[in-house]
Amino acid sequence: MRIIVMDNYDEMSKRAALMITSQVMLKPDSVLGLATGDTPLGMYKELIKLYNKKEVDFKEVRTFNLDEYYGINRENLQSYYYFMNSNLFNSINIARENINMPDGMAKDVNASCKGYENKIKELGGIDMQVLGIGGNGHIGFNEPNVNFEAETHLVNLEEQTIEANSRFFTSIKDVPVKAISMGIKTIMNSKKIILLANGLNKAKAIERAVNGKINPNIPASILQLHNDVTIIIDKEAASKL
Ligand code: PGA
């Protein structure tokens, strides 16, 4: 694992955006794995700036998002589809047909998850996967006590995750309790991984992911076994290392 500690959130975001930009320069049709949440928002803003300055071109880029709530449709303001459109896709030149998101309204969830995995494989696998981390050490929606062998699947969200996500909903009762998430196996099959974290509330999860024993209670700890992980964090998230 490479650990890069930046002074603050803005610097963390810029560094991550430069890594994505370099990836796309080296391989214009890169397959990117993308994440939602507060953490990557600054990185997406930077990518839009770089795109506007013509420093990166997304014309041939393909994307797969890590996860999507189950049971809410794409028009819902809280769907991750909506998030990705409003925070990145609508502002860059990515081709709509190159965007892949888990289908939160799939009737046959298993078939839909299998189809998602197959498509990733057909395109040659994920070149660079962006991850955030939950306060409980989750990556994607792979909650503690994770099955390290799982591919894309339906998950039950933990109480702590539902509570953390309730800030975006009118009431905690509106927060979906299930989601479709890439599994740990899907994530581990990515060629390169960058994990971003900022703020004191992520310090403990980062410490356990980096220095702790690899165990299913801290899903992110499995990343210790991946051979190309870069962790980009601000000073606060690094404060327990
Ligand atoms: P956050 O979420 O970026 O909104 O903190 C990260 C996560 O839960 O994976």
Side-chain angles (χ1 to χ4, degrees), residues 36-40 66-67 131-136 138-141 161 164-165 167-168 196 198 201-202:
T36 50
D38 283 339
T39 313
L66 269 176
D67 45 22
L131 299 175
I133 184 169
N136 62 1
H138 76 199
I139 45 178
F141 272 135
T161 302
N165 293 354
R167 66 191 192 277
F168 301 111
L196 312 182
N198 65 287
N201 62 334
K202 298 293 173 69

